[in-house]
Amino acid sequence: MSNSSDRRTTLPRRRDEAKALFRNAILDAAEHVFAKQGFHGARIQDIADHARIAVGTVYNHFEQKEDVLHALLEVRLDQMIDNLRPQPTDPEPFEQKLTCCVIRTLQFVEAHRDFHQVALDCGLFAKGTASASSILKDKAVEHFEKLRATMLALVNEGLQSGALRPMDPVPLARALGGLIRSSSIGMLMEQSHPDLEAEASLLVDLYLNGAGRADRTGRPRDENDLGER
Amino acid sequence: MSNSSDRRTTLPRRRDEAKALFRNAILDAAEHVFAKQGFHGARIQDIADHARIAVGTVYNHFEQKEDVLHALLEVRLDQMIDNLRPQPTDPEPFEQKLTCCVIRTLQFVEAHRDFHQVALDCGLFAKGTASASSILKDKAVEHFEKLRATMLALVNEGLQSGALRPMDPVPLARALGGLIRSSSIGMLMEQSHPDLEAEASLLVDLYLNGAGRADRTGRPRDENDLGER
Amino acid sequence: MSNSSDRRTTLPRRRDEAKALFRNAILDAAEHVFAKQGFHGARIQDIADHARIAVGTVYNHFEQKEDVLHALLEVRLDQMIDNLRPQPTDPEPFEQKLTCCVIRTLQFVEAHRDFHQVALDCGLFAKGTASASSILKDKAVEHFEKLRATMLALVNEGLQSGALRPMDPVPLARALGGLIRSSSIGMLMEQSHPDLEAEASLLVDLYLNGAGRADRTGRPRDENDLGER
Amino acid sequence: MSNSSDRRTTLPRRRDEAKALFRNAILDAAEHVFAKQGFHGARIQDIADHARIAVGTVYNHFEQKEDVLHALLEVRLDQMIDNLRPQPTDPEPFEQKLTCCVIRTLQFVEAHRDFHQVALDCGLFAKGTASASSILKDKAVEHFEKLRATMLALVNEGLQSGALRPMDPVPLARALGGLIRSSSIGMLMEQSHPDLEAEASLLVDLYLNGAGRADRTGRPRDENDLGER
DNA sequence: AATGAATGAGCTTTCATTCAT
DNA sequence: TATGAATGAAAGCTCATTCAT
């Protein structure tokens, strides 16, 4: 076996590895710097410094500053969505399955505080936000929709299993998203690392059962809350 | 009476009026421009153009660009909080009172879309957000806390009235904030002007009663939802 | 007369004067710097330094670096064309009139060595030149055509007066342009300030009578100069 | 004979061939790219792409970007000068010999439009031009002088043969150069491929006999054209 | 020797802020 | 006090050159 054939495959392989190495280093650095300084406050120099590479190298991997942000959000958001999505190993009753999804999601948030900082900053969880939309343009909508779709799928599963009130899934999904976002923000704001499982359980409990007293007499919930207005 | 004494009181009064006129014009222009372009994308020139004044004039009323943002957020946030806070004329049962507060808040959002765009962009409803904190610094926390306190006050009222589950008010407030934020974002994202009262009723319903089916048998909600898992 | 009306006219007038002052200072500085370093070698900083103003000021008067070049070439080329064009005071016989035009043109070259350096560098006298066309684009053609038209007008006058051989004016104009360019380049290359009038006379003499011996016997020029040899 | 001695002579020979192959490929690519984009607008990457080699390879053959230009100009200019120089096979009468030289030169221009674009751009035919001198430095003068010397030699031959007016050869050479340059530029500007022989004949005719009418009575050319003014 | 990614100095351009009128 | 041009620090991006493979 000639090593010329090796060269043809080995060299490119090494190159590809190196390429991925640099790309990831840049994204990691960007995640950190964007989180601390915001997109506009972050200089390419800062990112390069953090990744211990030269400015030009960043531009060998990304056309413009914005593209670094795009790539970062895309990669991490896909990971996040994977966590939010029900897994085969999740227990069946919807409430428990939902709790598992929320736990994983909060764990992901906790593990990727920087990303969440950035994502919030970019209105990734709130679309049309000004500076976000001016940076992300259509991409923001794309990202946002992916997340929304995942949330809707989850809610639809709950509806089909009969665990959720039979109603328009859009507000149901929106409410779930709102609660998760609240908890995430709460976690980001605090230094402490709370008991995520308890946090998730509480969240699911509030989502499913509401904040009101259970024993309010004669509450005619499921029939006509919507209809009567 | 000599007109010199008049001058001393009348002149300043007129001046103050003029001053306020300019100040408000600047803030209105800033609200619009920040909403469309984001804080960083907005140039003082743009704001001045929109207010049909000169750049220098902006600096006669505000020390720096950031101060325009601060002032804008402060003014509007106070208005928003006034709307969120229960009014003497609101009906007593907590659910209805809460609904009134939410309606007013959503109306305010609808009436001040631009402000909300800006506020979201600044993480005003999510504190520690990166670019926000780098612009707003301590002010952001201040603003955020004011809002949080109002929310907490509202929740505490619900607890005292017995309408809310007896539990830590912090997650209760957080959940309410999350739901309101979700609806607000939903409204900003859509062009349509939905039926705000219905939206608010649904929100309060979900908040108080949850998204789960009411008729789950034998649900011992308040005691041990958490404990049993 | 109130001075408020004065203000309205005086202030703008002063401003316009100042504006023109700055603009000219920038063009003068650019002329010098472009001549010494070429367009690409010249940094905006250099031009600003030379004009003893700030970099930003250059951009208050010109959108981009290229526009400085455009403006410079336009202004000077128009002046140059004015010099090349016959004047009412020029003597009538074509040869003398032409000599006057050439003298004025060479004087202009001598007085604006820097501009000529730049113009040559931009292929202003040679159109389609590479870096020129990439900087000047259509403008180069425009400028070039203006000069060519002037040259053609001059030649046509000569044809009508019967002083020039009856033939296609295009090569006649091209030849005249070539001779003037040669002399100009010669002047730019030398430090000495030659006798411009003698230079011009020689140029016109060569143009009209050619470099060949006059006393070639029985020269039947127009018919068959080529055929007989 | 040992093949070690072979290796010493054969191997280098092949290497030299390969080396020359690459070198020429680079120069050809550079000629094209410089012509289209100008020296400053051309990136080494562009040249490498055009030559279908890697950037690094260019640097294995030339120390710096400028050296590519130098080499290109040197090679082509020598070729051009060979064409301008009288050949043993050229007919003797000066006018015809000159015409042959001009025909060859114009043919060369036509065949190497790209080079001419570059050469003009570099002021190769006009020395001291700004960006040219800043790139080419002394080399430009060298190149220019070589061309000038050839032109002077040609003119001197004309003087000795009695075909040219007895006068300072410098302006004679300058005028000839000016006319050739004019025609070259004219050719570059047009898409059409004119009849080069006719073009050359006309050029020589104008050079030798001038643009003036032949039949002007009593023209006292050689004596005192200069003196009388 | 050929390759092509890494490097980083350098440049154009922007825009918050100042200041003379 | 309103004005708007002047200011210059700062940042994104380019590209000649280097160097490990």
Side-chain angles (χ1 to χ4, degrees):
Chain A
M1 330 115 205
S2 77
N3 69 355
S4 89
S5 74
D6 275 4
R7 213 179 282 153
R8 267 174 217 143
T9 55
T10 312
L11 219 80
R13 206 172 289 159
R14 288 237 177 97
R15 283 235 165 109
D16 286 354
E17 278 171 37
K19 193 159 188 148
L21 213 73
F22 272 96
R23 194 185 151 92
N24 286 331
I26 293 168
L27 289 181
D28 287 346
E31 185 167 26
H32 183 252
V33 178
F34 284 156
K36 297 290 170 262
Q37 307 169 222
F39 178 78
H40 283 102
R43 297 173 309 140
I44 294 290
Q45 187 65 253
D46 296 329
I47 296 174
D49 287 350
H50 225 86
R52 279 171 301 159
I53 59 175
V55 183
T57 306
V58 176
Y59 284 90
N60 284 338
H61 292 264
F62 299 94
E63 292 243 327
Q64 346 168 31
K65 192 184 173 187
E66 296 182 15
D67 294 341
V68 180
L69 181 63
H70 289 318
L72 174 63
L73 294 181
E74 184 134 41
V75 171
R76 290 287 189 273
L77 194 61
D78 284 347
Q79 293 173 357
M80 186 182 176
I81 283 175
D82 282 346
N83 282 299
L84 183 56
R85 199 174 276 147
Q87 301 297 311
T89 57
D90 288 343
E92 200 37 58
F94 182 71
E95 180 165 355
Q96 284 172 263
K97 179 184 286 189
L98 179 58
T99 307
C100 286
C101 292
V102 173
I103 289 175
R104 275 198 304 274
T105 302
L106 293 186
Q107 282 169 341
F108 182 80
V109 172
E110 181 66 30
H112 296 276
R113 290 172 148 251
D114 279 345
F115 162 66
H116 263 76
Q117 206 70 271
V118 178
L120 279 170
D121 201 30
C122 292
L124 201 59
F125 309 135
K127 208 173 66 172
T129 295
S131 82
S133 50
S134 68
I135 303 169
L136 298 174
K137 285 155 198 165
D138 310 332
K139 292 270 180 172
V141 182
E142 241 175 76
H143 292 321
F144 185 82
E145 288 302 335
K146 238 196 287 187
L147 193 61
R148 205 172 80 123
T150 311
M151 210 74 96
L152 268 175
L154 193 59
V155 161
N156 277 324
E157 211 177 312
L159 284 170
Q160 274 161 22
S161 76
L164 294 181
R165 294 202 224 173
M167 60 175 284
D168 181 0
V170 169
L172 283 181
R174 184 182 284 170
L176 180 57
L179 292 178
I180 294 177
R181 184 162 47 236
S182 282
S183 281
S184 303
I185 292 171
M187 281 168 51
L188 289 177
M189 281 168 53
E190 286 155 26
Q191 310 302 350
S192 67
H193 297 230
D195 178 351
L196 295 185
E197 302 201 6
E199 180 88 14
S201 294
L202 177 55
L203 192 159
V204 171
D205 179 26
L206 279 171
Y207 179 60
L208 292 178
N209 304 318
R213 285 193 82 97
D215 50 358
R216 273 176 298 161
T217 51
R219 46 184 284 277
R221 259 204 322 202
D222 293 317
E223 308 92 86
N224 47 10
D225 275 351
L226 284 163
E228 68 186 332
R229 262 157 276 158
Chain B
M1 10 178 133
S2 79
N3 69 359
S4 89
S5 74
D6 274 4
R7 218 178 274 154
R8 265 174 218 142
T9 56
T10 315
L11 234 75
R13 218 173 276 158
R14 290 238 175 94
R15 251 190 210 165
D16 286 353
E17 276 171 37
K19 197 160 187 145
L21 218 70
F22 272 99
R23 194 184 152 95
N24 285 330
I26 294 169
L27 289 181
D28 286 347
E31 184 168 24
H32 183 253
V33 177
F34 284 155
K36 298 289 170 262
Q37 307 170 221
F39 178 78
H40 283 102
R43 298 173 309 148
I44 294 290
Q45 186 65 252
D46 296 328
I47 297 174
D49 287 351
H50 227 86
R52 278 175 301 165
I53 58 175
V55 185
T57 308
V58 176
Y59 280 88
N60 287 336
H61 293 264
F62 299 93
E63 292 250 324
Q64 356 167 25
K65 193 185 174 187
E66 296 181 15
D67 293 342
V68 179
L69 181 62
H70 289 319
L72 173 64
L73 293 181
E74 185 135 40
V75 170
R76 290 288 188 272
L77 195 61
D78 284 348
Q79 293 173 356
M80 185 182 177
I81 283 174
D82 283 346
N83 282 299
L84 183 56
R85 198 173 276 147
Q87 300 296 311
T89 57
D90 289 343
E92 202 36 60
F94 182 70
E95 179 165 357
Q96 282 173 266
K97 179 185 287 188
L98 179 58
T99 306
C100 287
C101 291
V102 173
I103 288 174
R104 274 197 306 273
T105 302
L106 293 186
Q107 282 170 340
F108 182 80
V109 171
E110 183 66 30
H112 296 276
R113 289 172 150 253
D114 279 345
F115 162 66
H116 264 77
Q117 205 71 272
V118 178
L120 278 172
D121 202 29
C122 292
L124 201 60
F125 309 136
K127 207 172 67 170
T129 294
S131 81
S133 49
S134 68
I135 303 168
L136 299 172
K137 284 155 199 166
D138 310 331
K139 292 271 183 173
V141 182
E142 240 175 77
H143 290 320
F144 185 82
E145 289 302 333
K146 235 194 291 187
L147 194 60
R148 203 172 80 123
T150 312
M151 210 74 94
L152 268 175
L154 193 58
V155 161
N156 277 325
E157 210 175 313
L159 284 170
Q160 274 160 25
S161 77
L164 293 181
R165 296 202 222 172
M167 59 176 284
D168 180 1
V170 169
L172 282 180
R174 184 183 285 171
L176 180 57
L179 292 177
I180 294 178
R181 185 163 45 237
S182 282
S183 281
S184 303
I185 291 171
M187 281 167 52
L188 289 177
M189 281 168 52
E190 286 155 26
Q191 311 303 352
S192 65
H193 299 230
D195 178 350
L196 294 186
E197 303 201 4
E199 180 89 15
S201 294
L202 177 55
L203 192 161
V204 171
D205 179 26
L206 280 171
Y207 179 61
L208 293 178
N209 304 319
R213 283 193 85 91
D215 51 359
R216 273 175 297 161
T217 50
R219 44 186 286 276
R221 262 209 313 209
D222 293 321
E223 307 95 84
N224 48 9
D225 273 353
L226 285 162
E228 69 185 335
R229 261 158 279 164
Chain C
M1 11 185 136
S2 80
N3 70 355
S4 89
S5 74
D6 274 5
R7 214 179 279 153
R8 266 175 218 143
T9 55
T10 312
L11 219 80
R13 204 172 291 158
R14 288 237 176 95
R15 283 232 164 112
D16 286 354
E17 278 170 36
K19 193 159 189 148
L21 215 71
F22 273 96
R23 193 186 153 93
N24 286 330
I26 293 169
L27 289 181
D28 287 347
E31 184 168 25
H32 183 253
V33 177
F34 284 157
K36 297 291 171 260
Q37 306 169 222
F39 178 77
H40 284 101
R43 296 172 309 142
I44 294 290
Q45 187 64 252
D46 296 330
I47 296 174
D49 288 350
H50 225 86
R52 278 169 304 157
I53 59 175
V55 184
T57 307
V58 176
Y59 283 89
N60 284 339
H61 292 265
F62 299 94
E63 293 244 326
Q64 348 167 30
K65 192 184 173 187
E66 296 183 12
D67 293 342
V68 180
L69 180 63
H70 288 319
L72 174 63
L73 294 181
E74 183 135 40
V75 171
R76 290 287 188 273
L77 194 62
D78 284 347
Q79 293 173 355
M80 184 181 177
I81 284 175
D82 282 345
N83 282 298
L84 182 57
R85 200 174 276 147
Q87 301 297 312
T89 56
D90 288 344
E92 200 37 58
F94 181 71
E95 178 165 358
Q96 282 171 266
K97 179 184 285 190
L98 179 60
T99 306
C100 286
C101 292
V102 173
I103 288 174
R104 274 197 306 273
T105 302
L106 293 186
Q107 282 169 343
F108 182 80
V109 172
E110 182 65 32
H112 296 274
R113 289 171 149 253
D114 278 345
F115 162 66
H116 264 77
Q117 206 71 269
V118 178
L120 279 172
D121 202 29
C122 292
L124 200 61
F125 308 134
K127 208 171 68 173
T129 295
S131 82
S133 49
S134 68
I135 304 169
L136 298 173
K137 284 156 199 166
D138 310 332
K139 291 271 182 171
V141 182
E142 241 176 77
H143 292 320
F144 185 82
E145 289 302 333
K146 234 194 292 187
L147 194 60
R148 204 172 80 123
T150 312
M151 210 73 94
L152 268 175
L154 194 57
V155 161
N156 277 324
E157 209 176 313
L159 284 170
Q160 274 159 22
S161 76
L164 294 181
R165 293 202 223 173
M167 60 176 284
D168 182 359
V170 169
L172 283 180
R174 180 182 287 170
L176 180 57
L179 292 177
I180 294 178
R181 185 164 46 239
S182 282
S183 280
S184 302
I185 291 172
M187 281 167 52
L188 289 178
M189 283 169 51
E190 286 156 27
Q191 310 303 351
S192 66
H193 296 230
D195 178 350
L196 294 185
E197 303 201 4
E199 181 88 13
S201 295
L202 177 55
L203 193 160
V204 172
D205 179 27
L206 280 170
Y207 179 61
L208 293 178
N209 304 319
R213 284 193 84 91
D215 51 359
R216 276 175 295 159
T217 50
R219 44 185 286 278
R221 263 207 313 209
D222 294 319
E223 306 96 84
N224 48 9
D225 275 352
L226 284 164
E228 68 184 329
R229 259 153 279 167
Chain D
M1 13 184 134
S2 79
N3 69 357
S4 88
S5 75
D6 274 3
R7 217 178 277 151
R8 267 174 218 143
T9 55
T10 315
L11 233 76
R13 218 172 277 156
R14 289 238 175 93
R15 251 189 210 166
D16 285 354
E17 277 171 38
K19 198 161 184 144
L21 218 69
F22 271 99
R23 194 185 152 93
N24 285 330
I26 294 169
L27 289 182
D28 286 348
E31 184 168 25
H32 184 253
V33 178
F34 284 157
K36 297 293 172 257
Q37 307 170 221
F39 178 77
H40 283 102
R43 298 173 309 148
I44 294 289
Q45 187 65 253
D46 296 328
I47 296 173
D49 287 350
H50 227 87
R52 280 174 300 165
I53 58 174
V55 185
T57 308
V58 176
Y59 280 89
N60 286 336
H61 292 266
F62 298 92
E63 291 250 323
Q64 356 167 26
K65 192 183 174 188
E66 297 182 12
D67 293 342
V68 180
L69 180 63
H70 289 320
L72 173 64
L73 294 182
E74 184 136 38
V75 171
R76 289 288 188 273
L77 195 62
D78 284 348
Q79 293 173 354
M80 184 181 179
I81 283 175
D82 283 346
N83 282 297
L84 182 57
R85 199 174 278 146
Q87 301 297 312
T89 57
D90 288 344
E92 199 38 57
F94 181 70
E95 180 164 357
Q96 283 173 265
K97 179 185 286 187
L98 178 59
T99 306
C100 287
C101 292
V102 173
I103 288 174
R104 275 197 306 273
T105 301
L106 293 186
Q107 281 169 342
F108 182 81
V109 172
E110 182 65 31
H112 297 275
R113 287 171 150 255
D114 279 346
F115 162 66
H116 263 77
Q117 206 71 270
V118 178
L120 278 171
D121 202 29
C122 292
L124 200 61
F125 310 136
K127 207 171 69 172
T129 294
S131 81
S133 49
S134 68
I135 304 168
L136 299 173
K137 285 157 198 164
D138 310 332
K139 292 271 183 172
V141 181
E142 239 175 77
H143 292 319
F144 185 83
E145 289 301 333
K146 236 196 288 187
L147 194 61
R148 203 172 81 122
T150 312
M151 209 73 94
L152 268 176
L154 194 57
V155 162
N156 276 324
E157 211 177 312
L159 284 171
Q160 274 160 23
S161 77
L164 294 181
R165 294 202 224 171
M167 59 176 283
D168 180 2
V170 169
L172 284 180
R174 182 182 285 169
L176 180 57
L179 292 177
I180 294 177
R181 184 163 47 237
S182 282
S183 280
S184 303
I185 291 171
M187 282 167 51
L188 290 177
M189 282 169 50
E190 285 156 27
Q191 311 301 352
S192 66
H193 297 230
D195 179 349
L196 295 185
E197 302 201 6
E199 180 88 14
S201 294
L202 177 56
L203 192 160
V204 170
D205 180 25
L206 279 171
Y207 179 60
L208 293 179
N209 304 319
R213 284 191 84 94
D215 52 359
R216 274 175 301 158
T217 51
R219 46 184 283 276
R221 259 203 321 203
D222 294 317
E223 307 93 87
N224 47 10
D225 276 353
L226 286 163
E228 69 186 332
R229 258 155 281 164

